[in-house]
Amino acid sequence: MSRVKNFLTELDDYELANFAKFKLLTYMKETQSEIKEYLAERNLTESYGIQN
């Protein structure tokens, strides 16, 4: 498991949604893609304020 995914698994849905909303764009494109894939796995969508 990558370090990014390992970190993300420790967050609950609320924390993960806020992380994605406020920090996603601060990461490199490759990492952003990995984070977005994980968000899809957790079924977090725009209803949580997350934009792809």
Side-chain angles (χ1 to χ4, degrees):
M1 182 180 302
S2 74
R3 287 176 55 187
V4 172
K5 194 165 184 177
N6 190 40
F7 167 73
L8 296 174
T9 59
E10 296 177 4
L11 303 177
D12 64 28
D13 286 351
Y14 180 78
E15 293 169 326
L16 184 56
N18 280 300
F19 172 82
K21 184 174 182 179
F22 296 109
K23 296 296 284 180
L24 181 64
L25 297 178
T26 66
Y27 288 86
M28 294 174 26
K29 294 292 182 192
E30 241 180 75
T31 305
Q32 287 181 30
S33 295
E34 187 176 350
I35 293 169
K36 287 178 182 180
E37 286 176 20
Y38 185 73
L39 293 171
E41 288 175 23
R42 292 268 298 260
N43 294 318
L44 294 178
T45 63
E46 290 180 23
S47 64
Y48 284 92
I50 300 168
Q51 300 174 352
N52 288 330

